[in-house]
Amino acid sequence: MAGHGGRGSLSNGILQSSSSNESASGSHHARRRTRNRANSQDPMASSEESDEDDPEYVGDEEENADDNNDDEEEIEFSAEEDEYDVSLGPLSVSSGSEGSEVLPVPLDHDHLTHATALRNAASAGSARLANVKPCELVNTQTMLAGREFNVSKNGRFSRAECCHVASRYLPTDGPLVVEQLNSRAYIGQFSKDGTLFVAGFQDRRIRIYNVDRGWTVQKDILARNLRWTVTDTALSPDQRFLVYASITPIVHLVNVGNESGGVQSLANITDIHEGLNFSTDVRGENVFGLWTLQFSHDGRELVAGSSDKSIYVYDLEANKPVLRIVAHKDDVNAVVFADESCHLIYSGSDDHICKIWDRRCFAQRNKPAGQLVGHLEGITFIDSRGDGRYFISNGKDQTIKLWDIRKMTSGSASSRGSKHQQKIPTFRWDYRWMDYPGMGRDVRHPYDQSLMTYKGHLVLRTLIRCYFSPLASTGQKYIYTGSHDGCVYIFDMVTGKQVGRLIFHRGTVRDCSWHPTQPMLVSSSWDGNLAKWEHLHGDKPQVSKLCSARFSQFEVDNQFDSE
């Protein structure tokens, strides 16, 4: 594995451009209900497809051979007495393939609806000029006229007024293929300022593109010690360093710049390419993989979720992992900081549960601050709204759920004296090669604590990701996600309606990223394409029609059968 020489100076280099923030973290157990992986010993069993040529990856295939030959779908019910607060009752449900229909809405949701409207509202003066009610849509020309008359008394558009205009222009035109490789694209993300784009492929390649210079390749990295694929990447807050993970305990850190002037990463010669060992086992017997990782806001720490049911915190200054939390009863597929303070951490697992960890009091409590239930299957990704209150999660039950952490519970149902437990539906299936058995059925969690549920996309074969749309340009008005059917889905966060469906790819779209300030979105697919979508203000290129005609008839299931 990669060496650790010179890490002291490297850590100091990272920390010079960062502020300080103290850390601690926490742990708790959750319940696992995925039958077909109950005996799996493979650290890769959490998500990605198995490699039949590699003996390390055949465990799950053998375990589930009987399930594969079973023509009859099986459904089981379980009353998870130690997990749920039955006093809550069901809160919200969804229906329809194009989004969610909200039934009785909690007051907290009303607050979120109002806050989202204010983030996208025209000024009171512009509303009066257009003769509409506050928070209603104002014509762009009317807003421009109002700015000339200075009806807002600011002499310019406010951030909310900018979002009021920009959020109506969805990046649905195109696409233009930015990159095409003979390898599955697993990662594709813009930097915070939108000047860089990072893409990770299964064939060990990680490329950093300079968006402002015509998407030229700024850095071409050949990943080290790769097992199966690159599972995640993250840029440091100052955008000087990139870290990438695979299904091993080693995270590698690479400098984004290139002193040699070329694009190739010349490790340990002119560039930094060093390994960070997340394992706390000095004997090296605890072998696991990392599914997700993120920098803290100050750049001093990395937090990661792993296949050994744990959350890891790595201190870059100390050059070692400082905390391991056995957080769930199954793989931790998603972990993210709640806001810039980094005090709260959200985690999601294949045990179907989202947990909230407060690092400020973990040392005293040694358990999570609370948990949220509602998914019927494992959680593949979590994205925070950045306000320390709301987040969304993507699940293998083919839903995205919106959460408010103020609804979390910490006590069990049995401890509250509950006598009547409602049954929780579970299926016997494997999402890596089967379709969801609950598709088309009205299957709901009886103790769903989520605010909203969004449906229409497919979460199959891999850990597909979902996100809030950018704050600066849309006021986080939308939620968007990749999908197994090769599309990108865009939902209105408040109404749950599907407002966009981008059709182009012939393989699973595992990741997608919306530019922070422009109406531009890039989808990263298993067909090897990075596709750029924009809003072209009526200048529609012919590629849009060609792509729609070309891919409208393909069958995604047939594609994966051949693979």
Side-chain angles (χ1 to χ4, degrees):
M1 295 185 179
H4 299 274
R7 285 289 304 122
S9 59
L10 173 61
S11 300
N12 292 334
I14 298 176
L15 299 176
Q16 284 176 357
S17 59
S18 306
S19 60
S20 66
N21 187 22
E22 299 196 358
S23 69
S25 194
S27 86
H28 189 50
H29 288 285
R31 187 173 179 86
R32 175 180 180 176
R33 299 192 303 275
T34 309
R35 172 197 173 275
N36 59 351
R37 294 174 47 214
N39 300 318
S40 173
Q41 301 299 320
D42 180 15
M44 132 119 232
S46 142
S47 59
E48 316 304 338
E49 294 181 351
S50 299
D51 188 347
E52 297 181 0
D53 297 328
D54 188 339
E56 292 183 300
Y57 296 108
V58 300
D60 285 340
E61 300 292 341
E62 294 174 352
E63 287 175 10
N64 296 292
D66 294 337
D67 292 339
N68 192 25
N69 297 327
D70 198 341
D71 295 331
E72 183 178 351
E73 293 176 354
E74 298 187 43
I75 181 169
E76 298 177 347
F77 294 89
S78 62
E80 306 283 349
E81 295 185 357
D82 60 340
E83 292 184 37
Y84 307 108
D85 182 359
V86 297
S87 63
L88 291 174
L91 297 176
S92 61
V93 297
S94 69
S95 62
S97 60
E98 294 189 356
S100 62
E101 178 184 351
V102 182
L103 296 183
V105 181
L107 293 176
D108 293 338
H109 191 197
D110 288 341
H111 174 271
L112 180 60
T113 301
H114 182 65
T116 303
L118 290 179
R119 286 184 173 184
N120 292 270
S123 66
S126 296
R128 287 194 300 269
L129 189 63
N131 195 25
V132 299
K133 296 179 180 179
C135 295
E136 289 187 355
L137 185 66
V138 177
N139 183 278
T140 303
Q141 291 180 334
T142 302
M143 292 188 63
L144 291 173
R147 187 180 65 178
E148 294 298 316
F149 292 127
N150 196 22
V151 295
S152 65
K153 310 299 182 183
N154 294 325
R156 57 182 177 82
F157 283 154
S158 65
R159 175 181 292 183
E161 288 177 301
C162 290
C163 291
H164 186 76
V165 175
S167 64
R168 68 188 70 175
Y169 301 118
L170 298 179
T172 57
D173 299 327
L176 174 67
V177 176
V178 174
E179 185 69 274
Q180 186 175 34
L181 298 178
N182 294 322
S183 178
R184 292 174 174 177
Y186 272 74
I187 302 296
Q189 283 295 301
F190 282 104
S191 60
K192 285 188 176 181
D193 61 4
T195 60
L196 301 176
F197 186 85
V198 179
F201 298 86
Q202 191 175 16
D203 65 353
R204 300 178 61 193
R205 278 177 288 186
I206 301 173
R207 288 187 171 178
I208 303 176
Y209 301 88
N210 192 312
V211 178
D212 293 342
R213 296 182 179 179
W215 290 84
T216 57
V217 178
Q218 178 171 312
K219 191 83 174 242
D220 195 357
I221 303 164
L222 193 63
R224 290 180 170 184
N225 301 325
L226 195 72
R227 184 173 180 227
W228 185 249
T229 187
V230 175
T231 55
D232 203 3
T233 64
L235 282 169
S236 62
D238 58 11
Q239 298 183 187
R240 294 175 54 201
F241 298 96
L242 170 79
V243 291
Y244 65 88
S246 184
I247 310 177
T248 72
I250 306 296
V251 169
H252 287 86
L253 185 144
V254 186
N255 60 316
V256 173
N258 199 324
E259 297 181 5
S260 64
V263 299
Q264 299 298 322
S265 177
L266 305 176
N268 298 328
I269 301 175
T270 59
D271 295 319
I272 298 168
H273 198 144
E274 300 191 13
L276 312 176
N277 191 350
F278 273 60
S279 178
T280 57
D281 184 1
V282 294
R283 295 176 296 180
E285 297 178 356
N286 184 24
V287 179
F288 56 89
L290 299 174
W291 302 124
T292 180
L293 76 162
Q294 184 188 24
F295 272 97
S296 62
H297 181 67
D298 59 13
R300 290 177 175 268
E301 294 176 328
L302 291 170
V303 63
S306 73
S307 62
D308 67 347
K309 313 171 188 177
S310 302
I311 297 173
Y312 288 85
V313 177
Y314 192 97
D315 190 313
L316 289 168
E317 185 176 24
N319 190 27
K320 64 179 182 181
V322 293
L323 190 62
R324 179 198 175 197
I325 311 164
V326 183
H328 291 265
K329 286 193 174 180
D330 212 328
D331 293 24
V332 180
N333 298 326
V335 61
V336 66
F337 289 111
D339 54 22
E340 294 183 352
S341 71
C342 298
H343 294 316
L344 295 180
I345 296 175
Y346 305 144
S347 66
S349 167
D350 274 333
D351 63 12
H352 317 174
I353 299 175
C354 297
K355 293 188 177 182
I356 297 91
W357 307 87
D358 191 336
R359 307 173 69 189
R360 294 165 293 188
C361 59
F362 173 73
Q364 290 76 27
R365 299 185 62 200
N366 198 33
K367 62 181 182 179
Q371 64 184 31
L372 293 162
V373 298
H375 279 294
L376 295 172
E377 301 292 341
I379 296 162
T380 64
F381 195 73
I382 286 177
D383 187 41
S384 174
R385 195 166 179 259
D387 54 7
R389 179 177 296 176
Y390 301 102
F391 67 94
I392 56 174
S393 59
N394 220 356
K396 298 175 187 177
D397 55 3
Q398 317 304 303
T399 66
I400 298 172
K401 288 187 176 290
L402 173 66
W403 308 91
D404 183 346
I405 69 170
R406 294 172 298 178
K407 306 187 78 64
M408 66 184 180
T409 57
S410 56
S412 65
S414 58
S415 66
R416 293 173 179 264
S418 175
K419 297 181 180 179
H420 303 287
Q421 297 286 327
Q422 296 188 50
K423 293 181 178 180
I424 302 168
T426 59
F427 297 100
R428 299 172 60 184
W429 73 299
D430 190 324
Y431 92 120
R432 294 171 299 170
W433 49 270
M434 296 173 66
D435 291 335
Y436 181 51
M439 191 69 69
R441 302 182 183 182
D442 186 18
V443 182
R444 307 176 184 178
H445 197 301
Y447 310 121
D448 189 357
Q449 296 170 270
S450 64
L451 298 180
M452 284 281 287
T453 302
Y454 310 85
K455 291 184 177 181
H457 62 302
L458 298 177
V459 184
L460 300 169
R461 308 299 185 267
T462 185
L463 301 178
I464 292 175
R465 302 181 165 202
C466 64
Y467 303 94
F468 289 99
S469 62
L471 174 62
S473 59
T474 70
Q476 296 179 313
K477 182 178 180 179
Y478 305 108
I479 289 171
Y480 64 102
T481 178
S483 178
H484 170 60
D485 61 6
C487 302
V488 176
Y489 290 79
I490 304 174
F491 301 96
D492 186 292
M493 185 187 69
V494 173
T495 66
K497 292 182 179 180
Q498 183 188 121
V499 296
R501 181 169 177 252
L502 313 184
I503 305 173
F504 170 70
H505 294 285
R506 292 188 290 178
T508 300
V509 177
R510 186 181 189 269
D511 203 3
C512 47
S513 184
W514 197 317
H515 192 281
T517 58
Q518 300 177 21
M520 177 194 303
L521 185 148
V522 175
S523 52
S524 306
S525 171
W526 276 12
D527 62 10
N529 290 319
L530 304 180
K532 181 177 70 170
W533 306 82
E534 297 180 277
H535 185 88
L536 301 177
H537 303 283
D539 298 327
K540 313 290 185 183
Q542 292 185 351
V543 67
S544 295
K545 298 179 181 180
L546 292 175
C547 292
S548 177
R550 180 182 178 186
F551 300 120
S552 61
Q553 301 298 323
F554 79 88
E555 294 291 335
V556 177
D557 292 337
N558 293 338
Q559 173 206 350
F560 288 105
D561 289 340
S562 64
E563 293 178 353

